[in-house]
Amino acid sequence: MPSPLRLLDVDPDLGEGLSPEAFADARRDLIAEPLVVPRGDWNAEGTWSAVPAELGLLIVDGVLLCEVEVGKRSTLEVLGPGDLVRPWPHGRHIAEMDVGVRYTVADEMCRMVVLDGHLARQAARWPSVLGEITGRALGRATSGTLRLLIHQVVRIDDRILLSLWGLAERFGKVTADGVLVPLPINHTMMGRLVGAQRPTVSQAVGELTRRGALERTEDGGWLLHGQFPQDILGDGNDG
């Protein structure tokens, strides 16, 4: 059984608003239980039933793919360290919409910590910590808004490029050959990420590869060349 973890050791940014003395106290007292999910599908509903996580689960290591399906439509969200995971809020959409949510761990494992009621009561002594936790949920909402903006771009190759550069901001590694995005996102997943059909994505990826904007790595990741394509957002080609 994994040992409990000090929350501010695994995510020190949560204590950003604390003085050094308060940080030391919060580091000592904010203890969270770890949750490790191996590669593959994650039975999130089973976890919510078994694990008391009143504030949610905070990702510490690994990549978690969240796929939301309504009928034949689906969209993909890529989650990583610092993201807060909570059950799907069923009261926020039309009851007739049958929403399905599926999580898949894309790394060897995804390590999270349980933010339960006891931790919430302890953290109430430091409101800024609770504010930072709330901010993680807002961060996911902000990312969702940016994905909607990207979906307004007409050209699929531009959507793909913008989406990959967005992922590079969080998951990318600068190398001598370009910016590596080490995420095993295939063409089907990419279609769900940018709102397009797989054949269209494959064609667009081929065009981007010929232009030298990106290339696929042997392990399924993506290598981006050049700079962030600011002109896509400013030249009016999405109107």
Side-chain angles (χ1 to χ4, degrees):
M1 186 74 177
S3 300
L5 301 171
R6 296 185 185 275
L7 181 62
L8 295 190
D9 280 352
V10 297
D11 196 333
D13 288 345
L14 292 176
E16 184 176 353
L18 300 176
S19 67
E21 295 78 10
F23 187 98
D25 291 341
R27 177 183 175 274
R28 180 193 64 222
D29 294 343
L30 295 181
I31 307 297
E33 294 293 333
L35 176 70
V36 178
V37 182
R39 182 192 295 274
D41 291 339
W42 170 39
N43 179 13
E45 290 297 326
T47 299
W48 300 128
S49 299
V51 176
E54 286 84 352
L55 292 181
L57 299 172
L58 185 68
I59 299 177
V60 176
D61 293 309
V63 176
L64 185 65
L65 305 179
C66 174
E67 185 176 351
V68 179
E69 298 178 335
V70 178
K72 295 182 179 179
R73 305 286 182 178
S74 63
T75 186
L76 182 70
E77 182 181 10
V78 182
L79 305 176
D83 281 323
L84 188 67
V85 184
R86 288 183 51 81
W88 181 264
H90 292 285
R92 300 285 293 181
H93 57 78
I94 300 172
E96 288 74 15
M97 293 181 68
D98 185 16
V99 179
V101 183
R102 183 175 69 182
Y103 292 95
T104 305
V105 176
D107 281 338
E108 288 299 321
M109 67 178 65
C110 181
R111 188 166 62 117
M112 297 178 265
V113 290
V114 180
L115 306 184
D116 59 13
H118 174 72
L119 184 137
R121 289 188 292 274
Q122 290 289 91
R125 297 158 55 193
W126 303 282
S128 66
V129 174
L130 289 177
E132 290 291 338
I133 293 173
T134 303
R136 301 304 175 82
L138 180 60
R140 285 189 60 185
T142 302
S143 297
T145 301
L146 292 176
R147 288 199 305 276
L148 287 175
L149 290 174
I150 290 174
H151 285 193
Q152 294 180 29
V153 175
V154 174
R155 293 175 58 96
I156 302 302
D157 54 346
D158 288 343
R159 289 190 207 173
I160 292 172
L161 206 52
L162 286 171
S163 296
L164 284 174
W165 275 101
L167 292 174
E169 179 66 24
R170 291 199 59 195
F171 303 100
K173 301 176 182 178
V174 177
T175 72
D177 299 319
V179 180
L180 175 65
V181 183
L183 302 177
I185 298 176
N186 58 34
H187 289 193
T188 299
M189 294 176 180
M190 182 65 72
R192 293 166 183 161
L193 188 66
V194 303
Q197 298 296 315
R198 186 188 185 283
T200 307
V201 168
S202 297
Q203 182 178 359
V205 168
E207 173 60 26
L208 289 167
T209 302
R210 287 189 291 273
R211 282 161 41 189
L214 59 77
E215 62 182 285
R216 198 77 184 273
T217 63
E218 292 183 359
D219 58 359
W222 300 84
L223 187 64
L224 301 174
H225 300 294
Q227 303 294 323
F228 175 79
Q230 183 67 43
D231 58 312
I232 295 176
L233 300 174
D235 63 7
N237 70 348
D238 56 346

